[in-house]
Amino acid sequence: MKAKNKYGQYFTVDTIAEFMVGLISHDKTATVLEPSCGKGVFLRKLEEAGFRNIDAYEIDKTIGNEFPYVKYESFVSSPIEPYHVVIGNPPYIRWKNLEKELKEELSYSLLWNKYFNSLCDYLFIFILKSIEQLYENGELIFICTEYWLNTTNSQTLRDYMMENGYLSEIYHFKEASLFEGVCASFIIFRFVKSKNTPTEMYLYRYNKTSAPSLNELKTKECFTRYSIPQFKRNGRWILATKEQQRLLSNFEEKCMVGGGDLFSSRQMRRIGDICDIGNGMVSGLDKAFNVSSISLTEEEETQTIKVLKAKELYLYYNNSESKYFFIQEKVPEELFLKKYPNVAYHMNPYIEDLNKRYNYGKEVNYWEFVFPRNLNLFSKKEKRILVPCKERISNKSAFRFVLAGHNYYPLQDVTGILKKSTCKESIEYITAHLNNERVFEWLSFNGIVKGYIVEFSEAPIASIPFREIDWNNSQEVDIHNSITELVNRYIETRNTDCIKQINLHFNTLFK
């Protein structure tokens, strides 16, 4: 959006608002609250449906609407009053993007200070305070982004919700275009405040890509319905069926170690325990540093590195590579022009753009990378695993973890993984494990997923469960060695029979 959206406003379309009003189970005499009513689309649909006992708040006094009961003040600081229904589209703003006055208001909020901190988002207080204001068996119906379902910072919110009621249904829209100019994965959820919690809930997965019509929403023909286990405290909320959760639990169970005596507990081994992980280096303007197609002197060749970008990565192997100019020594411009004339000539058309790069608060010459992050890690003379830092998983059943040589460097759209010296398993085995379908399924539900995009930064990769080899078990040792050989053979020959055999070996390990 061109102007800064200081209140996190994304106005709901009529079809979505009417559908959500239709989810209300209370009769028309119920008291209803809209805590961030914007232009009043929910209020109009509530009145059309026959509701009359309506209250509403709107913090932005510049928004006008025809509803006389709208209070132009902040819901966050409003008095706690009971309602049968709270419905709406709350604001989504990260703490770092909050206006100063909103942060100051939260600093006086008893609810915010009790449950949240500066790592939490503005959305959280709207959900929690709305539940505080519900009568027993009252219902909260919100549309919002899905990210908070499984982030660490929203754990207190999720625990509060499970202590005070249950979710009866979630409508999961993935990347469907519900708001103009907004690319995010949205959900509509219905929460019931109750001391009695059912064991299951309904998940409705949107099965189209375009925005739904009202008829499609009302008949629910645009959704595929699943029954999933009710969420619990102290855990991530996974939008998976009971069978899917059973398979995920089995995968995790096979990655547990320890517990062999009375004094040790079982723990899950993860990729972060056996590997060092780093996000790729940032040039700031790749086309200026890519010298693959120009002639270089011997001196210039000494200052180049092989790099891999996301588009060059396939399953297990890379299909191409690029040569980038990368100089670590600090030299004055006069010496740079003299020692590296061909590179200087190549970079000359880009100097203005190079000088405009974000420099992370450091003084950077135009011929230098702006952020050679994790350079020490990537300079190790060891094979490494590379993966795109973001991967679209629609129409896919595997990620692209690539085994690369010691002299390949990842750029900013690639994350690098190197095994620790304490790890006995081969880098080939680790690569095969990461490319296994079980990891794909686990990350699809437990990773950082936005719509159909899975993120591969350091933290989500480190969290992936890892199946260690029992080195006292000769069968497992043989399987490990066979997988190692098969990975190298596949990279060399591209014979898909190698992949089939690798998968059979993992089927044995995960029995």
Side-chain angles (χ1 to χ4, degrees):
M1 302 183 70
K2 292 182 180 179
K4 183 177 180 181
N5 192 343
K6 65 183 292 187
Y7 295 122
Q9 298 161 321
Y10 299 98
F11 299 119
T12 315
V13 297
D14 283 21
T15 52
I16 295 295
E18 187 168 338
F19 170 67
M20 290 173 63
V21 169
L23 297 178
I24 298 174
S25 64
H26 284 73
D27 62 32
K28 310 305 180 187
T29 63
T31 53
V32 184
L33 173 67
E34 217 290 36
S36 53
C37 68
K39 296 179 179 179
V41 60
F42 282 99
L43 306 181
R44 186 168 64 255
K45 294 302 177 183
L46 284 165
E47 289 188 355
E48 289 175 3
F51 291 94
R52 291 294 178 264
N53 298 320
I54 307 170
D55 286 335
Y57 289 94
E58 174 51 50
I59 194 173
D60 187 353
K61 295 182 174 68
T62 66
I63 296 179
N65 57 54
E66 71 270 27
F67 305 97
Y69 46 79
V70 175
K71 299 175 183 177
Y72 286 97
E73 55 191 75
S74 172
F75 168 67
V76 172
S77 299
S78 67
I80 299 289
E81 298 177 0
Y83 292 90
H84 296 102
V85 179
V86 180
I87 189 170
N89 172 13
Y92 335 122
I93 319 175
R94 292 186 175 183
W95 175 268
K96 67 179 182 179
N97 296 326
L98 270 178
E99 296 290 322
K100 182 179 179 181
E101 74 238 36
L102 299 182
K103 288 182 178 179
E104 185 175 348
E105 180 187 24
L106 289 175
S107 71
Y108 294 106
S109 167
L110 295 178
L111 288 176
W112 178 270
N113 289 316
K114 182 177 180 179
Y115 292 100
F116 305 126
N117 56 46
S118 60
L119 296 175
C120 299
D121 294 350
Y122 198 46
L123 165 69
F124 298 178
I125 191 66
F126 276 77
I127 295 175
L128 192 143
K129 189 177 181 189
S130 294
I131 294 172
E132 280 279 300
Q133 299 194 196
L134 288 175
Y135 285 112
E136 180 71 6
N137 296 317
E139 53 196 323
L140 170 64
I141 302 169
F142 267 175
I143 180 170
C144 57
T145 53
E146 68 163 311
Y147 71 95
W148 61 276
L149 297 183
N150 53 26
T151 59
T152 302
N153 298 332
S154 59
Q155 186 67 57
T156 54
L157 171 62
R158 297 198 302 272
D159 287 347
Y160 171 89
M161 293 176 75
M162 292 301 96
E163 290 165 0
N164 289 275
Y166 63 90
L167 284 152
S168 66
E169 56 216 79
I170 291 181
Y171 298 83
H172 194 201
F173 287 89
K174 284 290 185 179
E175 294 179 341
S177 179
L178 302 185
F179 296 89
E180 184 178 355
V182 180
C183 182
S185 179
F186 286 91
I187 60 169
I188 293 171
F189 70 86
R190 178 177 178 270
F191 173 89
V192 179
K193 188 171 185 176
S194 173
K195 296 180 177 65
N196 302 312
T197 302
T199 58
E200 295 189 339
M201 58 179 285
Y202 286 121
L203 169 65
Y204 293 84
R205 288 196 184 279
Y206 192 63
N207 53 33
K208 299 178 62 179
T209 55
S210 57
S213 67
L214 182 58
N215 183 63
E216 288 173 328
L217 289 171
K218 285 186 172 181
T219 61
K220 298 186 180 178
E221 64 184 65
C222 56
F223 299 104
T224 304
R225 192 180 81 166
Y226 302 91
S227 179
I228 68 174
Q230 185 61 233
F231 299 142
K232 297 180 181 179
R233 288 187 76 257
N234 299 321
R236 303 181 68 157
W237 289 2
I238 300 176
L239 300 180
T241 64
K242 188 178 294 185
E243 175 60 17
Q244 287 171 327
Q245 291 193 29
R246 185 190 67 79
L247 293 173
L248 294 173
S249 296
N250 179 68
F251 170 61
E252 292 178 347
E253 174 65 25
K254 296 296 182 180
C255 297
M256 300 289 281
V257 295
D261 55 60
L262 293 174
F263 304 101
S264 65
S265 58
R266 302 193 74 209
Q267 292 183 327
M268 189 186 302
R269 185 66 76 198
R270 299 181 185 271
I271 291 297
D273 298 323
I274 57 134
C275 290
D276 293 314
I277 305 160
N279 296 326
M281 303 193 303
V282 182
S283 74
L285 189 65
D286 284 354
K287 60 185 178 182
F289 291 88
N290 190 336
V291 293
S292 304
S293 60
I294 68 173
S295 297
L296 302 174
T297 65
E298 289 187 15
E299 182 72 28
E300 289 172 325
E301 287 283 359
T302 64
Q303 301 298 328
T304 62
I305 56 173
K306 292 181 179 180
V307 304
L308 291 176
K309 292 177 65 66
K311 65 182 180 181
E312 297 168 323
L313 306 183
Y314 278 46
L315 185 68
Y316 284 101
Y317 65 91
N318 59 291
N319 67 333
S320 61
E321 63 188 50
S322 302
K323 184 190 297 183
Y324 273 46
F325 180 73
F326 179 68
I327 183 170
Q328 296 186 56
E329 63 173 332
K330 283 287 184 181
V331 297
E333 184 172 14
E334 182 180 349
L335 185 57
F336 163 70
L337 296 173
K338 181 179 179 180
K339 291 183 69 174
Y340 313 109
N342 296 309
V343 173
Y345 181 79
H346 168 74
M347 286 188 167
N348 188 63
Y350 306 112
I351 291 178
E352 184 177 350
D353 290 334
L354 286 165
N355 286 327
K356 292 178 181 178
R357 295 173 297 171
Y358 178 71
N359 60 9
Y360 298 85
K362 298 179 180 180
E363 188 174 329
V364 180
N365 293 312
Y366 72 80
W367 58 86
E368 298 171 340
F369 272 40
V370 291
F371 190 19
R373 61 185 173 189
N374 298 305
L375 177 60
N376 290 337
L377 176 64
F378 301 137
S379 295
K380 291 183 177 180
K381 301 301 181 183
E382 300 173 12
K383 290 182 180 180
R384 65 278 319 271
I385 301 168
L386 305 179
V387 64
C389 64
K390 292 184 179 181
E391 184 78 302
R392 175 172 289 277
I393 61 173
S394 54
N395 305 317
K396 288 184 181 178
S397 59
F399 298 118
R400 293 181 288 159
F401 287 95
V402 170
L403 181 60
H406 72 272
N407 55 344
Y408 284 93
Y409 290 75
L411 289 188
Q412 61 265 31
D413 61 350
V414 174
T415 301
I417 307 165
L418 283 79
K419 77 166 193 166
K420 296 179 179 179
S421 59
T422 53
C423 175
K424 292 185 67 175
E425 287 79 10
S426 69
I427 192 72
E428 289 83 2
Y429 174 83
I430 299 170
T431 308
H433 175 86
L434 290 170
N435 280 324
N436 187 261
E437 61 182 7
R438 293 167 180 83
V439 170
F440 181 87
E441 289 297 321
W442 189 88
L443 278 172
S444 297
F445 290 106
N446 293 280
I448 298 179
V449 185
K450 298 177 180 178
Y452 290 106
I453 305 294
V454 178
E455 293 188 6
F456 288 102
S457 55
E458 296 176 18
I461 292 176
S463 72
I464 299 172
F466 177 67
R467 174 58 163 91
E468 279 192 342
I469 294 296
D470 180 356
W471 297 100
N472 295 317
N473 183 319
S474 59
Q475 182 189 23
E476 290 198 9
V477 174
D478 288 342
I479 287 175
H480 169 272
N481 295 339
S482 180
I483 289 175
T484 299
E485 181 185 344
L486 286 164
V487 168
N488 286 321
R489 192 188 311 165
Y490 176 69
I491 293 173
E492 182 180 348
T493 67
R494 314 288 162 81
N495 186 336
T496 55
D497 286 340
C498 297
I499 302 295
K500 294 176 182 177
Q501 293 179 58
I502 289 171
N503 291 336
L504 289 173
H505 281 317
F506 275 110
N507 289 343
T508 301
L509 288 175
F510 282 101
K511 275 185 179 177

